[in-house]
Amino acid sequence: MTEVSSLTGRLLVATPALADPNFDRAVVLLLDHDEEGSLGVVLNRPTPVGVGDILASWAGLAGEPGVVFQGGPVSLDSALALAVVPGEPHASQGAAVAGDGPLGWRRVHGAIGLVDLDAPPELLAAALGSLRIFAGYAGWGPGQLREELTDGAWYVVESEPGDVSSPDPERLWRSVLRRQRSELAMVATYPDDASLN
């Protein structure tokens, strides 16, 4: 990784060697990555809390499972929402459009974007393909992620829009690794408990 390359929109997939329990078998979508640090959300940590329990107005737009996900260990009392807007958004889809997408949605990478949870849900309802709510996020200070990558804590792979809304998040770590066209596909077979091997 060079200093100028941005990993925004890519996935960080925890290696079996990553010892931090916050990120055991985590799949993190990087929402921002630059010289000032990195920010992302863990895509495969559903909680038992329903979206309707904390953000009732957004519950009807949330994909399955309709629960809040733990986006990471930082700011667990704050909510962040990601949504996929399929294809190129146009006003003809029934949503107001501002520049690069519907009002209340800001593109992060490809069809994936951040949702303004203060916007009225009906403003976005016609344009969204899926919505996921996260409590908290994962964050790294300047150079911290680069150091973790050098130490072999993460695999960096391309994201797909379906990663954000996987209906089976507990299997996301294995499925992301399995689709790689390299030796990473073999890592998907790594046992949950290596001591049993």
Side-chain angles (χ1 to χ4, degrees):
M1 181 177 101
T2 63
E3 203 63 56
V4 294
S5 68
S6 175
L7 299 178
T8 300
R10 311 264 314 265
L11 296 177
L12 297 178
V13 181
T15 69
L18 183 59
D20 185 339
N22 288 310
F23 297 109
D24 181 46
R25 302 238 172 164
V27 177
V28 178
L29 174 67
L30 281 175
L31 304 175
D32 192 25
H33 173 79
D34 58 27
E35 64 279 345
E36 295 178 22
S38 303
L39 181 140
V41 289
V42 179
L43 299 178
N44 57 337
R45 294 280 192 276
T47 72
V49 179
V51 172
D53 295 339
I54 60 164
L55 291 166
S57 61
W58 289 97
L61 296 176
E64 288 299 321
V67 298
V68 175
F69 281 65
Q70 184 176 337
V74 182
S75 294
L76 290 171
D77 58 345
S78 65
L80 203 140
L82 286 179
V84 173
V85 173
E88 290 300 316
H90 297 290
S92 62
Q93 288 180 281
V97 176
D100 198 18
L103 290 173
W105 180 83
R106 182 178 61 85
R107 186 179 308 278
V108 171
H109 178 76
I112 302 166
L114 285 164
V115 172
D116 177 359
L117 291 171
D118 291 328
E122 55 275 7
L123 188 67
L124 290 158
L128 298 186
S130 62
L131 174 80
R132 184 137 295 159
I133 307 289
F134 299 89
Y137 63 90
W140 294 265
Q144 187 180 1
L145 180 57
R146 182 176 53 248
E147 188 176 310
E148 289 183 17
L149 291 171
T150 301
D151 291 345
W154 301 99
Y155 303 120
V156 179
V157 301
E158 295 297 325
S159 64
E160 295 181 1
D163 296 334
V164 171
S165 57
S166 172
D168 194 3
E170 290 86 358
R171 293 187 176 178
L172 189 61
W173 185 83
R174 288 190 193 281
S175 64
V176 167
L177 288 170
R178 196 172 292 121
R179 74 179 184 227
Q180 303 310 307
R181 296 177 182 237
S182 66
E183 64 278 354
L184 286 184
M186 290 298 294
V187 177
T189 64
Y190 198 85
D192 291 334
D193 184 352
S195 68
L196 299 177
N197 205 6

